Amino acid sequence: MASAVKETVSNLMDKLSFTKQEGVPAKEPDAEELKELRETYEKAEQDQVFAFYDGLDTEGKAGLFEQLSSIKPEYINEITKKALNPPKSNEQDSAPKLEPLPDSAVASMVDSKSEDIDKWYSSGLELISQNKVAVVLMAGGQGTRLGSSAPKGCFDIGLPSQKSLFQIQAERIYKVQQLAQKQHGKDSVVVPWYVMTSEPTRGPTEKFFREHNYFGLSKENVLIFEQGVLPCISNEGKILLESKSKVAVAPDGNGGIYQALLTSSVRTDMRKRGIKHVHAYCVDNCLVKVADPIFIGFSASKDVDIATKVVRKRNATESVGLILLKNGKPDVVEYSEIDKETAEAKDPRHHDVLKFRAANIVNHYYSFRFLEIIEEWLHQLPHHVARKKIPCVDTDSGESIKPSKPNGIKLEQFVFDVFPLLELDKFASMEVKREDEFSPLKNARGTGEDDPDTSKQDILSQGARWVRSAGATVESEGTSSGVEVSPLISYGGEGLEFLKSKTIKAPAVIEREE
């Protein structure tokens, strides 16, 4: 029985992922190998991928053969069909029943008792001190919208210190390790950082980390890995070629994190280290509290498998996904799926706030025990369709095509697709203050919303609040304002007593105690 389960899991992993082996010299397949692979694609009616094979050189044939060998065309047909024609349940015949999460599953940094927050912080810091907490960073995106081809984590948002997003987040890990070490008298504390990249960002990310000496963290505690890809599909359901010797592929979405934990060595490494609690987040949030002791402590105290941070929706029309109950299950519902009446509904107990206000910020906690059973639930996650303009080669004429309108689809999974699989008692949500914990970087400078200038100002405004709270006076010079407090000095506003009664002329950087 055990061997059968293992074989089934192995087969599933083969279907769900393909990766390219590095450093293997080009070797043209023999006739039998080629015949067998062609037959596989012919059976799936996807043999157009061999349209130019016979005219390729040895390297081209070897590369295409290797790539095609790692794709399961029948499986691609299967998930494409399901994505384009999702199975309907009885519940889909009527409007879904939407409800806020029950009080038993939520907490709020806005109105929780200070003693509860202190308790969560203490227990979270203790778990960190025991080396039971790890961090997974989703950093597959490039800074294309920001005018940069580099990984988004390399981006300098314009702080006085000129620190990148990667450096800011690394320094928060360094500081929380230091806080736990000091609080619990440990010789050393390690929060391993697992950085998930995509194919185009992996090399530049590794180089950036090396050049900056891993921002003060130990190299062995920073593991960079790569999310998977899936073939791009034409509107007619055919696998597209990017060139005559390469299949067009695209990253499998942020939901690819679960598959990537398996196909990389990450989960095995976590197991060896004795990790029990995992914090996962996106790179573009400059205010993220990495390995937040409060969030870890809250989630662990409730013994949940997944918890998520949310911020309060600004207004009824803000275009954010909402975390709620959908037909009795935890879920994320996109703003486009909610009608005007539902979006504008007020909380019957608090008439000044929206009933549905828990905005998703892709900031999650996982119990390691849940990640240990990924094989049991991964196949249940759906794939979603994104219609895109996909450059490709016409397999009839051999001409390169740069489409002016969507000519195909990319298949992707969302990180929250797993939420409905959980029982409600294994899911929780914590509302945090937007000004303290959420400032995404999405747009080019000058747009005025979620851009480098707003990210920069949110950090400077936070720092100014911290130093004023510590008893300092902040004086602004000209139009510039705010204070950048290095994460190496303070993780969340603590430890700034040395600034009491001092006057700080903004903009300023607090990098060390003076």
Side-chain angles (χ1 to χ4, degrees):
M1 178 67 180
S3 61
V5 171
K6 187 174 182 180
E7 183 178 357
T8 299
V9 169
S10 177
N11 291 339
L12 178 61
M13 293 305 100
D14 286 343
K15 285 183 178 181
L16 285 171
S17 167
F18 60 90
T19 55
K20 181 180 178 182
Q21 292 183 348
E22 300 293 340
V24 179
K27 177 181 178 294
E28 193 172 323
D30 62 37
E32 188 60 35
E33 290 174 325
L34 181 59
K35 179 175 179 289
E36 185 178 342
L37 188 62
R38 278 186 186 270
E39 288 175 350
T40 299
Y41 278 82
E42 287 169 0
K43 181 180 178 183
E45 298 183 358
Q46 293 285 7
D47 50 311
Q48 76 286 345
V49 295
F50 287 96
F52 312 105
Y53 182 88
D54 293 336
L56 299 176
D57 60 17
T58 298
E59 185 176 356
K61 287 180 178 179
L64 182 58
F65 181 85
E66 181 183 351
Q67 190 182 24
L68 292 175
S69 296
S70 59
I71 299 171
K72 308 297 179 184
E74 289 282 10
Y75 173 70
I76 298 303
N77 287 348
E78 177 188 336
I79 63 175
T80 301
K81 183 179 179 181
K82 283 183 180 179
L84 290 171
N85 305 282
K88 283 193 173 183
S89 65
N90 294 332
E91 294 170 341
Q92 288 177 297
D93 294 331
S94 57
K97 182 181 180 183
L98 304 181
E99 303 169 278
L101 291 173
D103 290 347
S104 60
V106 299
S108 174
M109 292 296 290
V110 178
D111 52 25
S112 286
K113 296 177 182 177
S114 58
E115 53 263 38
D116 287 335
I117 295 173
D118 291 344
K119 180 177 66 177
W120 296 327
Y121 178 83
S122 295
S123 61
L125 206 61
E126 183 175 11
L127 291 169
I128 291 170
S129 78
Q130 295 168 352
N131 297 334
K132 292 181 179 179
V133 176
V135 171
V136 176
L137 166 59
M138 291 174 273
Q142 293 171 289
T144 309
R145 289 189 192 174
L146 309 173
S148 169
S149 61
K152 193 180 280 189
C154 302
F155 196 79
D156 170 8
I157 59 176
L159 290 171
S161 67
Q162 300 182 312
K163 290 177 182 178
S164 65
L165 292 172
F166 279 142
Q167 181 168 353
I168 293 166
Q169 293 161 23
E171 289 182 353
R172 289 187 184 135
I173 292 175
Y174 186 94
K175 183 61 176 179
V176 83
Q177 290 176 160
Q178 192 180 60
L179 289 171
Q181 184 177 341
K182 182 177 179 181
Q183 179 70 26
H184 293 278
K186 297 296 180 76
D187 292 333
S188 69
V189 169
V190 173
V191 176
W193 198 16
Y194 302 94
V195 181
M196 186 177 80
T197 65
S198 59
E199 184 179 17
T201 63
R202 181 169 188 167
T205 298
E206 291 175 332
K207 183 175 183 236
F208 194 76
F209 272 71
R210 286 195 303 269
E211 289 175 346
H212 291 83
N213 198 26
Y214 296 84
F215 310 104
L217 300 174
S218 298
K219 178 182 177 180
E220 62 268 22
N221 297 323
V222 179
L223 284 82
I224 297 173
F225 66 110
E226 191 176 316
Q227 73 181 103
V229 293
L230 288 168
C232 299
I233 310 296
S234 74
N235 289 332
E236 294 71 40
K238 298 296 185 181
I239 295 173
L240 291 170
L241 290 178
E242 175 186 309
S243 68
K244 292 181 179 181
S245 60
K246 186 177 182 182
V247 173
V249 297
D252 52 7
N254 60 17
I257 184 175
Y258 306 118
Q259 175 61 29
L261 291 176
L262 296 184
T263 54
S264 68
S265 60
V266 168
R267 190 177 65 170
T268 300
D269 188 78
M270 288 181 179
R271 187 185 301 121
K272 288 178 180 176
R273 292 174 182 263
I275 298 299
K276 300 298 181 186
H277 311 278
V278 178
H279 179 214
Y281 69 96
C282 287
V283 73
D284 61 4
N285 179 11
C286 68
L287 291 180
V288 62
K289 296 180 72 175
V290 189
D292 177 17
I294 295 174
F295 188 42
I296 299 295
F298 162 75
S299 305
S301 71
K302 297 192 77 66
D303 194 30
V304 294
D305 285 328
I306 296 179
T308 183
K309 283 189 177 184
V310 299
V311 296
R312 192 166 291 185
K313 193 176 179 183
R314 285 192 180 113
N315 52 57
T317 59
E318 185 181 10
S319 54
V320 291
L322 295 174
I323 291 180
L324 40 65
L325 287 184
K326 179 180 178 181
N327 297 323
K329 293 287 189 179
D331 211 336
V332 172
V333 175
E334 297 297 343
Y335 63 94
S336 56
E337 301 176 63
I338 298 177
D339 60 40
K340 186 173 184 289
E341 182 181 357
T342 303
E344 294 179 348
K346 297 292 186 178
D347 188 328
R349 296 179 300 175
H350 308 282
H351 299 291
D352 58 333
V353 296
L354 295 170
K355 179 180 181 181
F356 297 102
R357 58 183 181 272
N360 177 34
I361 60 173
V362 196
N363 192 324
H364 307 311
Y365 162 93
Y366 297 91
S367 71
F368 185 69
R369 70 182 174 220
F370 186 66
L371 299 180
E372 279 280 41
I373 59 168
I374 291 175
E375 295 91 337
E376 295 181 16
W377 48 259
L378 184 60
H379 65 284
Q380 299 179 56
L381 303 188
H383 287 82
H384 306 274
V385 169
R387 298 193 179 276
K388 300 286 186 178
K389 293 182 284 188
I390 305 169
C392 61
V393 173
D394 187 313
T395 53
D396 292 325
S397 68
E399 294 180 2
S400 295
I401 300 172
K402 290 189 176 180
S404 57
K405 59 182 181 180
N407 64 321
I409 64 173
K410 295 180 178 181
L411 297 170
E412 58 185 0
Q413 293 180 310
F414 300 146
V415 70
F416 54 75
D417 285 333
V418 71
F419 292 0
L421 302 184
L422 291 176
E423 296 298 327
L424 186 53
D425 64 351
K426 291 301 179 184
F427 185 86
S429 178
M430 171 175 276
E431 181 187 62
V432 297
K433 295 178 181 178
R434 188 186 292 250
E435 64 270 24
D436 285 339
E437 298 202 36
F438 186 55
S439 180
L441 180 59
K442 303 289 186 186
N443 305 314
R445 182 170 270 112
T447 56
E449 183 177 341
D450 297 343
D451 69 6
D453 294 330
T454 59
S455 292
K456 168 189 170 182
Q457 192 54 53
D458 285 342
I459 284 187
L460 296 179
S461 296
Q462 182 185 65
R465 290 194 302 274
W466 287 355
V467 299
R468 287 192 181 104
S469 180
T473 300
V474 179
E475 294 182 353
S476 297
E477 294 186 339
T479 57
S480 299
S481 63
V483 179
E484 180 186 354
V485 178
S486 169
L488 299 176
I489 291 296
S490 182
Y491 178 87
E494 82 294 330
L496 298 176
E497 296 81 9
F498 66 95
L499 295 174
K500 186 175 182 179
S501 301
K502 291 188 177 182
T503 298
I504 298 171
K505 294 189 182 297
V509 184
I510 310 296
E511 285 278 13
R512 58 184 181 273
E513 293 189 26
E514 292 180 334

